[in-house]
Amino acid sequence: RMSKMATAQGHVDPLDAAFDEIFLAEERFQTQGYQEGFELGKQAGLEEGRVMGISNGRAVGSEIGFYHGFACSWKVILENDPSRGPRVLKAIDALLEMIWRIPIQNAEYGSLTEDMDRIRAKFRQVCSLLGVSPEVGNTKTSLSF
């Protein structure tokens, strides 16, 4: 079967060719626009994800750093003052182990939320055993996790 553009002798009718070109141009421009939009959206999404990852990573790192410093400080204090008993020291060691298991470089770490919930719970337990408040500071503007 022959296309509209070709006549019985194999010649292309210029008027048919012009209309076909106009009809196909719309489809071509739509496809091109979609591809360009998709690439721009992809780049914007990557940049937004990078910024969000840096922000969230900084917050999680700060929180983990706080817990680590807290646990190390109390560990030194308790090792020099055995009057509090081994239970608190054991809980601090467990908190430190949980902290040390958090990978620093693994972007594909899927259980961070669950592990952070466990670390927060262990931190509250250590605070309870020590008789200290789990809140950082005493003001409304203080940093708390």
Side-chain angles (χ1 to χ4, degrees):
R1 183 174 168 182
M2 299 177 70
S3 73
K4 287 181 176 182
M5 295 190 331
T7 63
Q9 294 87 8
H11 298 303
V12 175
D13 181 8
L15 188 58
D16 283 344
F19 280 121
D20 284 346
E21 187 64 31
I22 291 169
F23 176 74
L24 294 175
E26 181 182 356
E27 188 176 312
R28 192 172 55 247
F29 288 136
Q30 186 177 20
T31 301
Q32 181 182 353
Y34 173 82
Q35 290 171 343
E36 289 173 3
F38 181 84
E39 285 303 315
L40 288 172
K42 182 177 169 183
Q43 290 303 317
L46 288 173
E47 179 61 23
E48 182 180 338
R50 186 185 71 78
V51 169
M52 183 182 289
I54 288 170
S55 176
N56 290 344
R58 185 178 295 127
V60 169
S62 177
E63 184 177 356
I64 290 173
F66 168 78
Y67 296 144
H68 185 258
F70 175 90
C72 287
S73 297
W74 274 103
K75 183 174 172 111
V76 169
I77 291 168
L78 294 176
E79 286 177 339
N80 293 318
D81 179 15
S83 66
R84 297 232 190 202
R87 185 170 177 219
V88 180
L89 200 54
K90 184 177 178 181
I92 289 173
D93 286 338
L95 176 60
L96 286 170
E97 283 296 320
M98 294 167 111
I99 291 167
W100 292 333
R101 277 189 245 130
I102 300 287
I104 294 173
Q105 297 293 325
N106 188 354
E108 300 294 320
Y109 184 59
S111 61
L112 179 63
T113 303
E114 295 85 8
D115 287 348
M116 287 302 297
D117 287 344
R118 284 189 211 94
I119 288 171
R120 289 178 189 115
K122 184 58 76 173
F123 169 73
R124 288 190 298 275
Q125 178 192 19
V126 169
C127 286
S128 176
L129 291 170
L130 290 170
V132 299
S133 171
E135 300 297 318
V136 182
N138 296 334
T139 66
K140 288 185 177 184
T141 59
S142 68
L143 177 65
S144 68
F145 297 106

